């Protein structure tokens, strides 16, 4: 093929923006392998593997392999209150984890209420902190936003522009208040 052939795509090196997963892939793999995780997908996609309800109650901490290499033990970190419920779900969790691996890699799951490396890991929260309720904007900001979009004739566009104006004016008011030390 010649250089003028339109079917051949030019060879380029990837420069510029790269996906964060690509940049961190080697570090995630090294950290996972240090705790026995041959497949880092189990760590990074835990909620997808076992489901959001189970993921909110526990997280994988370590995989220990036997000398023969068959029948690994997965250690899950959980809280004391969730342990009895998780104990009943262990066969389903094992099936889901083995489906992630693609074969019966895990033969046993043990639950721990503290991390095997110390108590610091055991104090971690499993669920994200709830988002605070947004406060209602000031009446002056609402009136100013309505005044700025009053000439718009399309109702949907007017509503969207009004919301945008409220957000911008609210942020501007917050920044001005922070500068004045309020």
């Amino acid at each position: 093929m010649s250089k003028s052939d339109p079917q051949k795509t030019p060879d380029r090196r990837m420069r510029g923006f790269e996906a964060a997963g690509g940049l961190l892939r080697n570090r995630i793999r090294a950290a996972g392998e240090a705790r026995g995780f041959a497949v880092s997908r189990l760590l990074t996609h835990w909620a997808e593997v076992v489901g959001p309800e189970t993921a909110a109650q526990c997280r994988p901490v370590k995989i220990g392999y036997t000398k023969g290499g068959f029948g690994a033990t997965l250690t899950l970190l959980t809280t004391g209150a969730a342990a009895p419920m998780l104990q009943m779900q262990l066969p389903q969790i094992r099936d889901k984890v083995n489906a992630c691996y693609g074969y019966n890699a895990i033969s046993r799951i043990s639950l721990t209420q503290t991390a095997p490396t110390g108590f610091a890991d055991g104090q971690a929260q499993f669920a994200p902190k709830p988002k605070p309720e947004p406060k209602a904007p000031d009446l002056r900001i609402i009136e100013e936003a309505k005044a700025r979009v009053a000439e718009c004739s399309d109702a949907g566009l007017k509503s969207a522009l009004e919301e945008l104006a409220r957000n911008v004016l609210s942020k501007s008011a917050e920044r001005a208040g922070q500068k004045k030390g309020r």
Side-chain angles (χ1 to χ4, degrees):
M1 287 187 177
S2 66
K3 288 187 178 182
S4 63
D5 189 2
Q7 292 179 349
K8 184 177 180 187
T9 58
D11 294 332
R12 295 187 327 191
R13 286 199 244 179
M14 194 161 92
R15 296 283 183 231
F17 293 108
E18 294 184 36
L23 296 171
L24 298 174
R25 184 173 296 122
N26 292 336
R27 290 186 180 192
I28 291 172
R29 185 178 337 120
E33 288 173 354
R35 294 224 175 175
F37 292 96
V39 177
S40 61
R41 182 176 59 241
L42 185 64
L43 293 173
T44 57
H45 295 86
W46 179 245
E48 294 172 14
V49 172
V50 297
E53 296 85 17
T54 304
Q57 297 174 357
C58 66
R59 66 176 178 169
V61 176
K62 180 182 174 187
I63 293 182
Y65 295 95
T66 60
K67 289 186 179 184
F70 298 106
T73 300
L74 172 64
T75 303
L76 297 177
L77 176 63
T78 186
T79 59
M85 293 301 291
L86 285 172
Q87 188 71 36
M88 292 188 299
Q89 297 175 5
L90 289 183
Q92 291 87 3
I93 294 172
R94 186 179 65 238
D95 291 342
K96 291 176 182 180
V97 170
N98 284 334
C100 175
Y101 274 90
Y103 66 101
N104 287 330
I106 306 297
S107 63
R108 184 173 172 269
I109 298 178
S110 76
L111 296 175
T112 183
Q113 295 174 18
T114 60
T117 57
F119 292 101
D121 286 341
Q123 297 172 359
Q125 295 292 324
F126 297 115
K129 193 165 93 175
K131 294 182 180 180
E133 291 289 327
K135 58 182 180 180
D138 189 10
L139 291 177
R140 292 176 300 179
I141 292 174
I142 294 172
E143 293 303 320
E144 186 176 348
K146 284 182 181 180
R148 291 194 182 208
V149 298
E151 296 178 9
C152 185
S153 60
D154 184 8
L157 179 61
K158 185 175 185 176
S159 172
L161 288 174
E162 187 177 324
E163 184 178 350
L164 176 64
R166 276 196 316 264
N167 290 338
V168 169
L169 293 170
S170 296
K171 291 292 181 186
S172 298
E174 284 179 21
R175 288 188 188 120
Q178 289 174 353
K179 287 182 181 179
K180 290 181 181 180
R182 290 184 191 173

